[in-house]
């Protein structure tokens, strides 16, 4: 984190958003390529009620970094604060597609869907936020790095966690996801088989193993894993679909 960002964040924590924006907009940082500069500029502008300017800054940011998930979350906040709920919901949903760890987006999705009486979707978003928050902070940070494309940082962090806690299921799942990203499918399979053995009733872990087995074209094992899952979760639509897709 640069000194400029540190100074601006400290001012924002003191609710001094105009001053923080001035720090971020100084000529000396105008050419800084760090996306956090524009991101925090937009946050300051939103808190100052300058929504159109904030959206313009976020648009410029996304032109440079089209997968910057927090920018979409901030767009959602701008629209939410102007009671433009449909636009806010779309922005939040896109943000969590890019980074499913953005809990502010999940919480707002839950609230907005509840307002539309879409209670099932609202509950799912709420549950996702609760699950994310339940993860240990180092695991949360590793997931954020992974979804931000910082694969090496995420892998280093998660391997360090697993050295201390070899049966940490969320960490195992992320390491398997990293292996899939790097096309090391055999490693992903090994990790997920171990995870399934540790938590055989966890449907999502089983589904991730099935997905890897399908990628490896090991359809007989994928069928076996799905059938074992259906013994514990009869008529589960996701396990049934995974079986049908073999």
């Amino acid at each position: 984190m640069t000194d400029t960002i540190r100074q601006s964040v400290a001012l924002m924590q003191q609710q001094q958003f105009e001053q923080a924006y001035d720090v971020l907009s100084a000529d000396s940082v105008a050419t800084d390529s760090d996306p956090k500069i524009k991101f925090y500029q937009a946050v300051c502008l939103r808190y100052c009620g300058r929504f159109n300017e904030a959206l313009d800054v976020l648009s410029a940011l996304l032109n440079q970094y089209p997968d910057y998930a927090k920018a979409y979350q901030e767009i959602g906040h701008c629209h939410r604060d102007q009671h433009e709920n449909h636009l806010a919901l779309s922005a939040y949903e896109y943000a969590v597609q890019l980074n499913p760890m953005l809990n502010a987006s999940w919480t707002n999705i839950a609230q907005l869907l509840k307002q539309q009486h879409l209670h099932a979707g609202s509950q799912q978003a709420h549950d996702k936020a609760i699950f994310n928050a339940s993860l240990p902070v180092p695991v949360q940070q590793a997931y954020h790095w992974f979804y931000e494309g910082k694969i090496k940082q995420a892998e280093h962090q998660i391997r360090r966690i697993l050295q201390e806690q070899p049966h940490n299921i969320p960490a195992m799942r992320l390491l398997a996801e990293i292996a899939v990203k790097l096309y090391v499918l055999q490693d992903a399979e090994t990790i997920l088989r171990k995870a399934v053995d540790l938590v055989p009733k966890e449907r999502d872990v089983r589904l991730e193993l099935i997905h890897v087995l399908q990628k490896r074209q090991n359809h007989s094992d994928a069928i076996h894993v799905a059938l074992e899952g259906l013994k514990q979760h009869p008529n589960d639509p996701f396990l049934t679909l995974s079986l049908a897709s073999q």
Side-chain angles (χ1 to χ4, degrees), residues 23-245:
V23 169
L24 293 162
S25 303
D27 291 341
S28 58
V29 297
T31 59
D32 195 319
S33 61
D34 188 336
K36 291 179 182 177
I37 297 289
K38 282 189 170 63
F39 173 74
Y40 284 123
Q41 284 179 339
V43 172
C44 291
L45 288 166
R46 173 171 63 85
Y47 274 103
C48 293
R50 296 158 63 181
F51 300 114
N52 288 339
E53 291 174 75
L55 290 168
D56 286 344
V57 170
L58 292 166
S59 178
L61 171 57
L62 288 169
N63 281 337
Q64 290 180 277
Y65 302 94
D67 294 333
Y68 199 82
K70 286 185 178 179
Y72 287 100
Q73 177 172 270
E74 188 59 28
I75 289 170
H77 292 340
C78 287
H79 289 303
R80 177 204 61 193
D81 291 353
Q82 296 179 92
H83 308 290
E84 298 170 345
N85 291 349
H86 178 71
L87 293 173
L89 181 59
S90 295
Y92 288 135
E93 289 178 335
Y94 195 71
V96 295
Q97 284 183 38
L98 293 171
N99 184 349
M101 291 300 296
L102 293 179
N103 268 13
S105 287
W106 284 118
T107 299
N108 278 282
I109 289 169
Q111 293 172 348
L112 291 168
L113 291 178
K114 187 175 182 179
Q115 290 172 16
Q116 297 178 33
H117 306 289
L118 298 172
H119 298 294
S122 175
Q123 187 62 51
Q124 289 174 0
H126 175 75
D127 291 346
K128 181 63 176 176
I130 294 295
F131 173 77
N132 286 348
S134 73
L135 296 174
V137 171
V139 176
Q140 291 186 42
Q141 182 60 68
Y143 269 103
H144 275 295
W145 281 331
F146 174 74
Y147 291 120
E148 291 169 1
K150 301 171 183 175
I151 306 300
K152 288 185 178 179
Q153 284 179 257
E155 183 177 4
H156 176 75
Q157 173 97 326
I158 220 68
R159 287 190 183 279
R160 186 171 58 186
I161 292 168
L162 286 169
Q163 284 179 348
E164 299 173 0
Q165 305 169 46
H167 295 164
N168 185 311
I169 298 300
M172 294 172 74
R173 291 174 68 182
L174 178 54
L175 187 59
E177 200 167 351
I178 291 169
V180 171
K181 185 81 171 179
L182 299 175
Y183 300 102
V184 190
L185 297 179
Q186 185 173 350
D187 285 1
E189 179 183 340
T190 300
I191 295 162
L192 290 170
R193 282 189 183 277
K194 183 177 180 180
V196 167
D197 288 342
L198 290 168
V199 286
K201 293 184 179 180
E202 285 286 340
R203 183 205 64 181
D204 288 348
V205 178
R206 190 174 291 274
L207 286 169
E208 288 164 10
L209 174 56
I210 292 169
H211 176 67
V212 169
L213 290 169
Q214 289 172 334
K215 277 183 169 289
R216 300 196 71 199
Q217 299 188 9
N218 190 342
H219 299 296
S220 60
D221 276 8
I223 290 170
H224 174 74
V225 172
L227 288 172
E228 288 297 310
L230 284 168
K231 290 178 183 178
Q232 300 172 36
H233 304 281
N235 303 316
D236 181 273
F238 295 101
L239 287 168
T240 301
L241 181 61
S242 71
L243 189 62
S245 65

